[in-house]
Amino acid sequence: MRISTTPRFDRAIKKISPAEKKTLDSVVKAIISEPFVGDMKKGDLLGVQVYKFRYLRQQMLLAYSVSLDRTQIVLMGYGVHENFYRDLKR
């Protein structure tokens, strides 16, 4: 399975700590093993799935999309809930 990222995702992970990056890596591995584990969004974000998890008592969100043939996952966004969906629509 191929994993690709968007520039928005790259900017978001550039700012996180190594410990948080390690947690994010384990979440990405979980998504690779079960691609449709996240919540499918509706409306403007149709086709985007969001996986929610906790890091240091704070809820973090990871947005991604899976190709129809399940060969590629595109990591689209990462961050806290505040303004997450608004920024993802841009």
Side-chain angles (χ1 to χ4, degrees):
M1 181 164 296
R2 253 183 48 196
I3 305 294
S4 59
T5 61
T6 61
R8 179 181 309 277
F9 181 81
D10 292 336
R11 282 191 304 270
I13 63 166
K14 188 183 274 188
K15 301 173 188 175
I16 65 176
S17 69
E20 188 173 356
K21 200 171 279 194
K22 187 175 180 180
T23 304
L24 180 61
D25 287 342
S26 66
V27 167
V28 170
K29 287 178 185 177
I31 290 172
I32 290 170
S33 66
E34 183 64 40
F36 296 102
V37 71
D39 297 331
M40 181 64 78
K41 294 296 150 187
K42 300 175 184 172
D44 293 344
L45 296 175
L46 188 65
V48 175
Q49 296 182 9
V50 175
Y51 184 78
K52 298 176 182 179
F53 64 98
R54 292 215 171 267
Y55 177 72
L56 297 180
R57 289 194 239 140
Q58 186 170 20
Q59 186 177 28
M60 304 301 288
L61 287 84
L62 174 63
Y64 65 97
S65 65
V66 180
S67 64
L68 293 176
D69 57 358
R70 296 184 182 190
T71 59
Q72 182 177 5
I73 294 177
V74 179
L75 301 176
M76 303 170 75
Y78 173 74
V80 296
H81 190 275
E82 184 179 355
N83 300 327
F84 181 79
Y85 294 109
R86 182 199 68 191
D87 294 342
L88 194 59
K89 287 181 187 180
R90 292 185 184 176

